[in-house]
Amino acid sequence: MGEISCSNGIGNGNGVNGKTHSSLNGYRKSCWYEEEIEENLRWCFALNSILHTGASRYQDIALLDTKPFGKALIIDGKLQSAEVDEFIYHESLVHPALLHHSSPKTVFIMGGGEGSTAREILRHKTAVKVVMCDIDEEVVDFCKAYLAVNREAFCDPRLEVIINDARAELEIGKECYDVIIGDLADPIEGGPCYKLYTKSFYEHTVKPKLNRGGIFVTQAGPAGIFSHTEVFSCICNTLKQVFKYVVPYSAHIPSFADTWGWVMASDTPLTLSADELDSRIKQRVQGENRYLDGKTFSSASTLSKAVRKSLDNETHVYTEGTARFIYGHGSVQKQNQA
């Protein structure tokens, strides 16, 4: 559950300026974003302003200018990415899969309307065609308009943007891909994405659309010492039922207030060393990664003893009837605070 809490004098609507002012009538004027991570745990940070709020057919959308993390994209009251540290998430999501592939030319993104995943893929010299399929046109248009960092990616002729349900698009399309990336919203109860984390989807829709030697990778929710059992462990176990080789890995995302998880899967071994990854980065990737290199991935894929044990003992398989969800369902609202 996400809330934008504003003291007296902070207006509402689009383009609100929430800059801190001096005290007036006993109130300190300020604006905060607050997200309930667990029932008894909330995460909040100060805002400079609310840049935009709106609602599409599928989701509530907000763009906030935060003091600690810069511009932050909020969907259904859940922080999706923040300007200061989104590179950690998107480099971790994209580069391990593309680097482990021998020559990734075609890539399909499920979701990714923000454009950051496409941006990182397009840095790869081997990329010939990138298809970004997001169900929510308003989110895509919103991000095009407000996230300047990705405008170049949206203009790249190698990128094709399709507005559709990713499952439907994969099922009706005839093309197969070298890499398929799940950059979907978290599985939230009542949300549009949880069906795209199921065994049947991975087995009957994703895997048949991978070329020989193809790799699938998905974001897999919180992966912290206490939070990884929400969805990370069962997504990992579910992919083990479908693919021969599965590699879970994680990284700390400061704006998420947690360690985050991804799972990479293939029927081809995923065994590159740190030196081999560094060599491929140097040969294939334009510009310099800010976060990920060979040693970083080796560290990210070496999970803690407690998490490894939990993943080894996980038996739950993600299906539509036995879905697991991360905590809460967000909304954006305002209130006065003393």
Side-chain angles (χ1 to χ4, degrees), residues 43 45-46 66-72 79 82-85 254-256:
W43 169 235
F45 40 83
T66 77
K67 289 182 182 292
F69 301 117
K71 291 179 182 178
L79 178 66
E83 185 177 23
V84 167
D85 62 7
S255 63
F256 288 0

Side-chain angles (χ1 to χ4, degrees), residues 55-121:
S56 72
R57 173 184 171 188
Y58 301 99
Q59 301 160 120
D60 292 325
I61 312 164
L63 186 67
L64 311 178
D65 181 9
T66 77
K67 289 182 182 292
F69 301 117
K71 291 179 182 178
L73 178 66
I74 313 295
I75 294 181
D76 277 343
K78 289 288 185 180
L79 178 66
Q80 301 301 303
S81 72
E83 185 177 23
V84 167
D85 62 7
E86 59 87 4
F87 69 94
I88 303 173
Y89 173 94
H90 291 103
E91 288 185 16
S92 297
L93 173 66
V94 169
H95 296 301
L98 269 70
L99 292 169
H100 275 86
H101 194 282
S102 59
S103 181
K105 294 181 173 64
T106 57
V107 184
F108 186 93
I109 308 168
M110 304 189 303
E114 175 187 352
S116 298
T117 296
R119 180 197 72 215
E120 292 301 317
I121 296 168

Side-chain angles (χ1 to χ4, degrees), residues 31 59 66 95 110 138 160 175 216 229 233 264 295 298 317 326:
C31 203
Q59 301 160 120
T66 77
H95 296 301
M110 304 189 303
E138 291 185 50
E160 178 183 358
E175 189 171 357
F216 173 67
T229 55
S233 60
M264 183 169 56
K295 288 183 178 179
S298 295
V317 176
I326 68 166

Side-chain angles (χ1 to χ4, degrees), residues 113-114 132 139-148 150-151 154 161:
E114 175 187 352
M132 186 184 86
V139 168
V140 175
D141 290 343
F142 180 94
C143 293
K144 280 184 181 179
Y146 288 96
L147 300 181
N150 295 330
R151 283 179 188 161
F154 278 114
V161 178

Side-chain angles (χ1 to χ4, degrees), residues 206-283:
V206 171
K207 190 171 181 177
K209 291 299 180 178
L210 285 171
N211 289 322
R212 185 173 182 176
I215 298 173
F216 173 67
V217 63
T218 183
Q219 80 90 12
I225 192 72
F226 300 119
S227 60
H228 71 277
T229 55
E230 282 188 301
V231 295
F232 179 63
S233 60
C234 69
I235 290 172
C236 182
N237 184 60
T238 301
L239 283 166
K240 288 179 180 178
Q241 314 306 308
V242 178
F243 291 93
K244 189 173 181 180
Y245 302 98
V246 175
V247 178
Y249 58 101
S250 63
H252 178 64
I253 311 291
S255 63
F256 288 0
D258 205 347
T259 300
W260 212 254
W262 301 265
V263 184
M264 183 169 56
S266 180
D267 283 341
T268 299
L270 303 166
T271 56
L272 291 182
S273 68
D275 288 342
E276 288 170 324
L277 286 169
D278 284 337
S279 177
R280 289 191 175 186
I281 289 172
K282 185 176 180 180
Q283 293 168 7

Side-chain angles (χ1 to χ4, degrees), residues 41 95 116 136 203 271 288 315:
L41 180 62
H95 296 301
S116 298
D136 199 331
E203 186 171 24
T271 56
E288 186 175 353
T315 60

